[in-house]
Amino acid sequence: MQRRAFSLTAAAAVFALTAGVACAQTKWDLASAYPATNFHSENLVQFASDVEKATGGKLKITVHSNASLFKAPEIKRAVQGGQAQAGEIIFANFQNEWQIYGADGLPFLADSYDEAAKLYKAQKPMIEKKLAEQGMGLLYSVAWPPQGIYTKKPLNSAADLKGVKWRAYSPATSRIAELVGAQPVTVQAAELSQALSTGIVDSTMTSGATGVDSKLYESLKYYYDTQAWLPKNAVLVNKQAFDALDKPTQEAVLKAAAAAEARGTAASKRVNLETLEKLKANGMQVVTPSAQLKADLKKVGDTMLKEWLEKAGPEGKALIDAFSKP
Ligand code: PCA
């Protein structure tokens, strides 16, 4: 009798233990650099909630937006080192590390949503391979809306940009400034409003989305809708953290990521239209660039593509060939 009671207790204990393991929750931190109300950030929160739901709470991802956990340029390294299990970066920030990361930050190489999607298709296998070598995986990627120029004064040609204090967020946006004779100052989105209000910068090239996020209409007057390129954000995962998940959880993450990529891309297109209207409603002049300004910027783009190809070597050529295939 006593023996039987013991074995029942033991069985209960084993059961409790297994159930405990099965219900154990894994917690991930996901670092992001843009404000909580930005469409990328909202998409991340939805992604996290989809994963939590699909896994019955087994994987809980906490999104830390607005560079609250790591600053934009630090996020990639943090994910690589496992200080954050996941994080959202903008590829164009890492062009100096590897030129292929910067391809979608080049002016007029891919300047519409369709072209951006095509460029992504060509970049993706190369980027996935590089990230794997760096101990990371690519969960999904979403393009920002097309990039235009914000200024205080009207722009008839690129010559009007001489000497302006130009806020850059990437090596390519700095290079544009150099080529037009502006003074580049690198400032990430989280500090953009402050840099403008303190007069550290008085122009930038970014999307309508960031224009609204950072209330650029409070300091700047014009938005030149140049639609020059659509840089991509990407959500990266630490490979070890991903590999530690059980198979069904991994599958749930990948499924939610695919949904987030499609949802985020649709949101980007919607936000592109909405934010230009919001800029106007807040008194900003949204202007179609003059033929001269367009021609000047096209020349900047041509120079930058040539420079990029020189630095990127055979890999760069392979990417452009894959992208240019009909
Ligand atoms: N907004 C981000 C990157 C591209 C964009 O549209 C920024 O300005 O930092």
Side-chain angles (χ1 to χ4, degrees):
M1 186 66 203
Q2 222 180 358
R3 216 180 139 172
R4 193 179 143 82
F6 171 76
S7 62
L8 271 179
T9 317
V14 168
F15 176 73
L17 201 70
T18 337
V21 170
C23 296
Q25 191 179 49
T26 302
K27 289 187 177 176
W28 280 7
D29 287 312
L30 192 158
S32 96
Y34 303 99
T37 52
N38 176 272
F39 74 97
H40 287 291
S41 313
E42 287 174 349
N43 198 34
L44 283 172
V45 170
Q46 182 68 52
F47 163 70
S49 138
D50 287 353
V51 168
E52 194 171 343
K53 237 182 259 152
T55 61
K58 260 171 115 181
L59 178 58
K60 182 173 169 53
I61 303 175
T62 303
V63 177
H64 303 268
S65 53
N66 212 24
S68 58
L69 199 56
F70 293 101
K71 292 196 183 306
E74 296 165 359
I75 291 176
K76 183 165 172 284
R77 195 186 294 274
V79 175
Q80 184 170 14
Q83 287 90 1
Q85 289 77 18
E88 184 184 52
I89 62 159
I90 178 165
F91 283 134
N93 267 2
F94 301 93
Q95 181 178 348
N96 288 342
E97 177 193 318
W98 188 51
Q99 292 296 319
I100 304 299
Y101 285 139
D104 55 58
L106 297 172
F108 305 110
L109 176 63
D111 53 5
S112 65
Y113 279 99
D114 285 349
E115 294 274 296
K118 214 172 149 201
L119 180 59
Y120 178 42
K121 210 170 149 213
Q123 270 176 310
K124 197 177 170 189
M126 300 172 90
I127 288 182
E128 280 178 327
K129 186 163 169 269
K130 172 65 78 180
L131 288 172
E133 285 163 16
Q134 300 183 329
M136 289 177 281
L138 173 65
L139 288 179
Y140 70 86
S141 174
V142 170
W144 284 91
Q147 309 284 292
I149 306 176
Y150 290 87
T151 55
K152 260 199 168 119
K153 294 197 184 125
L155 282 186
N156 295 310
S157 71
D160 295 328
L161 288 166
K162 281 216 166 70
V164 304
K165 290 178 272 178
W166 171 282
R167 171 265 174 172
Y169 62 79
S170 62
T173 47
S174 288
R175 185 66 186 134
I176 295 171
E178 287 170 6
L179 290 170
V180 299
Q183 299 170 34
V185 186
T186 299
V187 176
Q188 293 306 324
E191 281 100 38
L192 177 54
S193 301
Q194 206 190 345
L196 277 163
S197 65
T198 54
I200 290 170
V201 297
D202 56 15
S203 65
T204 187
M205 199 156 180
T206 184
S207 57
T210 292
V212 168
D213 285 347
S214 300
K215 299 195 169 83
L216 297 192
Y217 42 78
E218 288 183 351
S219 341
L220 304 175
K221 205 156 176 237
Y222 300 91
Y223 180 67
Y224 290 85
D225 189 13
T226 56
Q227 303 179 19
W229 72 94
L230 295 83
K232 287 187 296 285
N233 274 9
V235 181
L236 311 183
V237 67
N238 176 282
K239 194 176 174 308
Q240 256 182 327
F242 185 79
D243 289 348
L245 302 173
D246 60 29
K247 257 257 130 42
T249 305
Q250 289 182 347
E251 275 159 18
V253 170
L254 297 180
K255 195 166 162 223
E261 186 165 289
R263 185 179 56 235
T265 303
S268 179
K269 292 176 185 174
R270 194 177 60 240
V271 159
N272 179 36
L273 303 175
E274 283 170 9
T275 51
L276 295 189
E277 287 311 311
K278 282 185 194 164
L279 291 177
K280 283 184 207 161
N282 283 285
M284 188 159 254
Q285 301 209 27
V286 175
V287 190
T288 304
S290 69
Q292 184 63 54
L293 180 58
K294 270 193 207 161
D296 292 346
L297 293 172
K298 177 78 179 59
K299 230 170 105 189
V300 167
D302 291 346
T303 303
M304 287 176 62
L305 180 59
K306 194 168 154 273
E307 290 174 350
W308 182 86
L309 278 165
E310 277 161 17
K311 283 191 194 152
E315 269 180 328
K317 190 181 173 310
L319 173 63
I320 300 300
D321 287 349
F323 167 62
S324 311
K325 248 195 242 147

